[in-house]
């Protein structure tokens, strides 16, 4: 039976650009190798400091160029061409070799968080080793069988980080009246800033209500 795994990795791809805008968040759409051998990296950026981010991307050593594809207010879709050295850090070929399906990749200024489906634990070990061979820190966050599959949240348009934030906030009593915890304490527990947590909770609640009630409109799938 297949498993769903969640893990965090300190990816160097666009790391300098992400660190330049610590309150922005990113969702990776695709990484593909082109016929000429170059690797293209498509991702959504979510926040309000796009000028600083684009300046940082232009100076980031892991990207040779970038293109803004979509602009929808506080979200933008980009496509970047990775430098030769950055392309060597990608692990999509290893995922294909071991029948690993990448379901979701989100990132902030410190790390990338990956959700993937693996056929068995042996494939998970091989996939983990591929990251370590590239000197990428691999931190396993969870392994789920079908009954506990966190991808069920995708029915409601919420990402894994949004789901984690909502569940932790609910369990800690953040939504109680009166509240039994503060945004600051929740953010500390999750290891993120208050600004990031506030945005994550807002977008998660918006997506959850919109999709659960089928109100229509484009769901905000950012982290």
């Amino acid at each position: 039976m297949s498993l769903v795994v969640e893990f965090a990795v300190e990816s160097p791809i666009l790391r300098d650009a992400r660190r330049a805008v610590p309150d922005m968040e990113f969702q990776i759409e695709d990484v593909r190798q082109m016929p000429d051998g170059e690797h293209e990296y498509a991702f959504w950026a979510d926040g309000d400091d796009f000028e600083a981010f684009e300046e940082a991307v232009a100076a980031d050593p892991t990207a040779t160029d970038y293109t803004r594809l979509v602009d929808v207010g506080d979200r933008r879709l980009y496509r970047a061409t990775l430098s030769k050295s950055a392309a060597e850090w990608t692990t999509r070929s290893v995922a294909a070799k071991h029948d690993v399906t990448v379901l979701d990749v989100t990132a902030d200024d410190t790390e990338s968080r990956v959700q993937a489906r693996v056929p068995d634990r042996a494939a998970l070990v091989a996939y983990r080793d591929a990251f370590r061979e590239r000197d990428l820190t691999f931190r396993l966050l969870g392994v789920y069988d079908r009954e506990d599959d966190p991808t069920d949240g995708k029915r409601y348009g919420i990402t894994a980080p949004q789901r984690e934030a909502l569940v932790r906030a609910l369990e800690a009593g953040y939504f109680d009246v009166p509240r039994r915890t503060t945004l600051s304490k929740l953010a500390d527990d999750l290891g993120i800033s208050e600004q990031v947590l506030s945005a994550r909770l807002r977008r998660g609640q918006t997506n959850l209500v919109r999709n659960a009630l089928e109100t229509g409109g484009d769901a905000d799938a950012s982290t």
Side-chain angles (χ1 to χ4, degrees), residues 151-208:
T151 60
D152 284 346
K154 289 186 176 297
R155 291 181 300 168
Y156 303 110
I158 58 175
T159 64
Q162 288 171 2
R163 181 181 185 277
E164 179 187 35
L166 288 167
V167 170
R168 292 284 287 275
L170 181 64
E171 293 175 342
Y174 181 74
F175 299 122
D176 290 358
V177 179
R179 284 177 174 165
R180 293 189 288 111
T181 191
T182 64
L183 187 70
S184 176
K185 187 175 187 310
L186 269 176
D188 287 342
D189 291 343
L190 289 166
I192 57 180
S193 70
E194 288 186 50
Q195 294 92 333
V196 168
L197 177 58
S198 177
R200 192 169 290 178
L201 289 172
R202 175 178 57 82
R203 292 165 189 143
Q205 290 175 85
T206 298
N207 293 342
L208 185 61

Side-chain angles (χ1 to χ4, degrees), residues 98-109:
H98 295 284
D99 198 24
V100 175
T101 302
V102 176
L103 303 171
D104 188 51
V105 184
T106 55
D108 55 23
D109 62 314

Side-chain angles (χ1 to χ4, degrees), residues 79-117:
R79 182 178 61 227
T81 301
L82 300 184
S83 65
K84 185 176 180 180
S85 60
E88 294 176 355
W89 285 311
T90 62
T91 58
R92 291 301 174 102
S93 61
V94 179
K97 178 181 178 181
H98 295 284
D99 198 24
V100 175
T101 302
V102 176
L103 303 171
D104 188 51
V105 184
T106 55
D108 55 23
D109 62 314
T110 58
E111 63 184 11
S112 298
R113 181 165 180 162
V114 183
Q115 190 177 85
R117 189 178 298 279

Side-chain angles (χ1 to χ4, degrees), residues 38-102:
E38 291 187 330
H39 284 71
E40 289 192 344
Y41 195 71
F43 61 95
W44 285 96
D46 194 318
D48 58 7
D49 200 1
F50 291 106
E51 183 176 351
F53 175 66
E54 291 180 1
E55 289 179 359
V57 172
D60 194 296
T62 64
T64 58
D65 61 63
Y66 76 92
T67 303
R68 186 196 308 168
L69 301 176
V70 178
D71 185 343
V72 286
D74 62 351
R75 299 187 71 217
R76 291 183 183 179
L77 177 64
Y78 294 93
R79 182 178 61 227
T81 301
L82 300 184
S83 65
K84 185 176 180 180
S85 60
E88 294 176 355
W89 285 311
T90 62
T91 58
R92 291 301 174 102
S93 61
V94 179
K97 178 181 178 181
H98 295 284
D99 198 24
V100 175
T101 302
V102 176

